[in-house]
Amino acid sequence: MSRQKNQSSKGHGVLKGKEREQRTSIRFKTTLMNTLMDVLRHRPGWVEVKDEGEWDFYWCDVSWLRENFDHTYMDEHVRISHFRNHYELTRKNYMVKNLKRFRKQLERESGKMEAAKCDFFPKTFEMPCEYHLFVEEFRKNPGITWIMKPVARSQGKGIFLFRRLKDIMDWRKGTAGKKLTSMETQPARANMNPSSSHDTRNSDDQKDELPVENYVAQRYVENPYLIGALDHQPLPDVHLTNVAVQKTSPDYHPKKGCKWMLQRFRQYLASKHGPKAVETLFSDMDNIFIKSLQSVQKVIISDKHCFELYGYDILIDQDLKPWLLEVNASPSLTASSQEDYELKTCLLEDTLHVVDMEARLTGKEKRVGGFDLMWNDGPVSREEGPSDLSGMGNFVTNTHLGCINDRKEQLRQLFRSLQVQKKAPS
C-alpha cells in the first residue's frame, strides 16, 4: 500500500508491527484516551506512526483540517475524518440557512407537501444580522420562550433563555464590540466548486472582520417528551441530556448517568404508545437525516479522501414529533460508563468498517454492523424487518434504528459472504 506523507501534523506515539506493505498506518490528534484510541490501536493490521511518519488514515480534529488540508498531498487511498467544509451542516446558523433554502427549493419543484417534510427544526434567526426579523416574529407570539445559542460553541456554553425583548437588548449591548477568539470564529463562506477535491479558499482570513460573536435565537420547544421528570412552572423546563452539563450537578451519578440505549428507549415508547406510533417516529427521524444531508449536498466539498461521523441532537416532543436542534462535527466519543464505552467502541468499529480501508465491501451492502444504508439514488426500502423488534411483534420496519441487532453475527455473515464472493470464479 502506498503511503501518505504528512507535512505539518502532530500525533501521538508509535506502534511497531507488521511490514509496511501489509498494514495501514494511522494517526490521530485527539484527547480521547479511551474509545477512539482503543479501537484504532486494536484494529488488526493497523499501526500507529510517529509525528514525522507517513500515514494512510488520520482521525484529525477540525483545527488540523483548517490549518493543513489545503497544503497536504493525499494519495488515492488516504482517508481523513472530516469534510473540508463540514460546518455547512455543523454550524447552527449555516445548518438553518441551508435547510431554509432547501425547503424553498422543494416547494418550487415539488409543492408545499414535499416542502413540509423539512418542518423539523424550530423557528430560528441568526443574531445579530436577523435581529429585526426576529423582533417581528417575537411580537407576533408574545410570552413564548426563546433560547439563545452561540453558533460555534458546544456543551451548553453560552446558552440562555428569555421571554422579554429587554433581555435580548441587554445581550446586544453586552456583545457590542466583542472580538471573536480563534476558536469561536466562523468560517468564511465563499464560492466553491463542489466537485473539486480540495477547497482553495482561505476559510479563516476574514475572522477579524466579525465584530461580535454570532448567536441563533431559536423558539424553545416547551413540550418535550419527559420520562420521570417534574414540571416546574412558571419557569420553563430546561432539559439538557448533555453529560458535559449534567455531570457538574451534585446529584449526578457517574455510573447511572443520564443516558439510555436507543433499544431501551424504543421499547419504552412501544409499551406506552404502540408499535405504529414508534415506527412513525423513527421514520420521521430517518427523514431528518436524509433531508438535512440533502440540504448541503450541493455545497459540501465532496472529496473522496473525506468521511464524517456526525452527531445529531434530536429532541422529541409530547406529540412524538422529532425536532432537529443541531448537528455536531465532533460528537463526544468519551465514555461515561461501561455501557457507554461498549456503545461507542462498537460505533467506531462499524465506522471503520464502512470507511473500509481494507477494501472488503462490495458497495451493495444494506447494513454494516449497526449502520443502515438509508439512501442509494433514492430511499432504501427494506425487504424484511429485523428479526427482533423488541416486543413489537411482526410489525415491519423501514429502519433498524433502535432495534435489537446481533452486531457480531451480522458482521460475521457480511464478511463470510465477502469471502465467498472473492473465491467465486469471475
Side-chain angles (χ1 to χ4, degrees), residues 5 83 107 113 206 231 237 247 250 258 261 341 349 357 366-367 395 397:
K5 184 66 177 178
F83 284 98
E107 185 170 353
M113 289 186 64
Q206 301 178 18
D231 194 13
D237 293 312
K247 68 182 181 181
C258 59
M261 295 289 286
Y341 177 86
E349 288 171 0
M357 292 295 293
K366 288 190 176 182
R367 297 193 72 195
F395 194 87
T397 179

Side-chain angles (χ1 to χ4, degrees), residues 163-311:
R163 282 180 172 170
R164 301 178 302 169
L165 274 180
K166 179 182 180 300
D167 298 329
I168 201 71
M169 293 177 71
D170 291 344
W171 168 82
R172 287 190 79 195
K173 293 176 183 177
T175 57
K178 177 183 176 182
K179 293 292 183 181
L180 288 173
T181 66
S182 60
M183 291 302 292
E184 296 170 343
T185 300
Q186 289 200 124
R189 300 170 83 205
N191 293 330
M192 63 190 75
N193 179 4
S195 62
S196 172
S197 60
H198 284 232
D199 182 13
T200 57
R201 62 197 166 85
N202 191 337
S203 63
D204 290 311
D205 284 347
Q206 301 178 18
K207 61 186 178 182
D208 290 333
E209 298 176 9
L210 299 175
V212 299
E213 181 177 9
N214 285 37
Y215 272 65
V216 291
Q218 192 171 75
R219 183 163 178 167
Y220 188 73
V221 180
E222 294 186 294
N223 65 330
Y225 191 98
L226 306 180
I227 299 176
L230 298 177
D231 194 13
H232 302 286
Q233 295 295 339
L235 295 176
D237 293 312
V238 180
H239 308 282
L240 293 177
T241 54
N242 186 329
V243 173
V245 176
Q246 293 189 341
K247 68 182 181 181
T248 61
S249 168
D251 298 327
Y252 178 76
H253 195 298
K255 291 186 178 180
K256 294 180 180 179
C258 59
K259 301 178 182 178
W260 273 13
M261 295 289 286
L262 200 56
Q263 295 166 4
R264 182 183 174 191
F265 181 57
R266 186 165 190 155
Q267 289 175 333
Y268 176 87
L269 292 176
S271 68
K272 295 287 186 180
H273 306 282
K276 187 174 182 179
V278 175
E279 203 52 46
T280 298
L281 167 62
F282 278 80
S283 177
D284 289 343
M285 287 195 285
D286 281 352
N287 175 67
I288 289 177
F289 303 140
I290 292 174
K291 289 293 190 291
S292 61
L293 292 170
Q294 285 181 313
S295 75
V296 297
Q297 184 176 8
K298 294 183 179 180
V299 295
I300 288 287
I301 302 169
S302 183
D303 191 305
K304 63 186 176 183
H305 299 103
C306 304
F307 70 95
E308 194 87 39
L309 179 62
Y310 291 114

Side-chain angles (χ1 to χ4, degrees), residues 5-44:
K5 184 66 177 178
N6 175 42
Q7 298 176 350
S8 58
S9 61
K10 295 182 179 180
H12 301 271
V14 60
L15 295 178
K16 297 182 179 180
K18 300 180 181 180
E19 293 298 320
R20 295 182 66 182
E21 291 76 11
Q22 299 176 331
R23 74 186 187 187
T24 295
S25 298
I26 60 170
R27 295 177 58 82
F28 39 90
K29 184 179 179 183
T30 176
T31 57
L32 304 176
M33 299 303 292
N34 50 4
T35 59
L36 181 58
M37 286 186 173
D38 287 354
V39 169
L40 291 175
R41 285 173 170 164
H42 288 91
R43 193 164 180 87

Side-chain angles (χ1 to χ4, degrees), residues 146-150 156-162 167-168 171 215:
W146 293 78
I147 184 168
M148 287 281 284
K149 306 175 186 178
K157 297 174 182 175
I159 290 177
F160 64 91
L161 303 178
F162 66 97
D167 298 329
I168 201 71
W171 168 82
Y215 272 65

Side-chain angles (χ1 to χ4, degrees), residues 5 9 62 64 72 89 110 131 139 154 181 189 267 359 371:
K5 184 66 177 178
S9 61
V62 293
W64 181 93
T72 303
L89 187 60
S110 305
Y131 175 76
R139 286 174 173 161
S154 59
T181 66
R189 300 170 83 205
Q267 289 175 333
F371 283 103

Side-chain angles (χ1 to χ4, degrees), residues 35-64:
T35 59
L36 181 58
M37 286 186 173
D38 287 354
V39 169
L40 291 175
R41 285 173 170 164
H42 288 91
R43 193 164 180 87
W46 289 40
V47 181
E48 185 181 352
V49 295
K50 293 181 178 179
D51 290 353
E52 67 275 11
E54 298 174 349
W55 51 270
D56 306 303
F57 178 95
Y58 193 178
W59 194 285
C60 65
D61 57 25
V62 293
S63 63
W64 181 93

Side-chain angles (χ1 to χ4, degrees), residues 82-117:
H82 291 290
F83 284 98
R84 178 63 181 87
N85 60 335
H86 61 86
Y87 48 77
E88 293 287 351
L89 187 60
T90 60
R91 293 277 173 152
K92 300 175 185 71
N93 53 337
Y94 292 172
M95 180 194 80
V96 171
K97 285 182 179 179
N98 284 314
L99 284 169
K100 288 180 178 179
R101 174 188 50 77
F102 185 59
R103 183 168 57 188
K104 290 180 180 178
Q105 175 189 332
L106 288 177
E107 185 170 353
R108 287 194 309 269
E109 297 175 355
S110 305
K112 292 184 177 181
M113 289 186 64
E114 188 65 24
K117 294 180 181 178

Side-chain angles (χ1 to χ4, degrees), residues 335-350:
S336 57
S337 66
Q338 182 60 34
E339 186 179 60
D340 199 33
Y341 177 86
E342 293 172 3
L343 182 151
K344 289 178 176 177
T345 52
C346 287
L347 167 69
L348 288 166
E349 288 171 0
D350 290 347

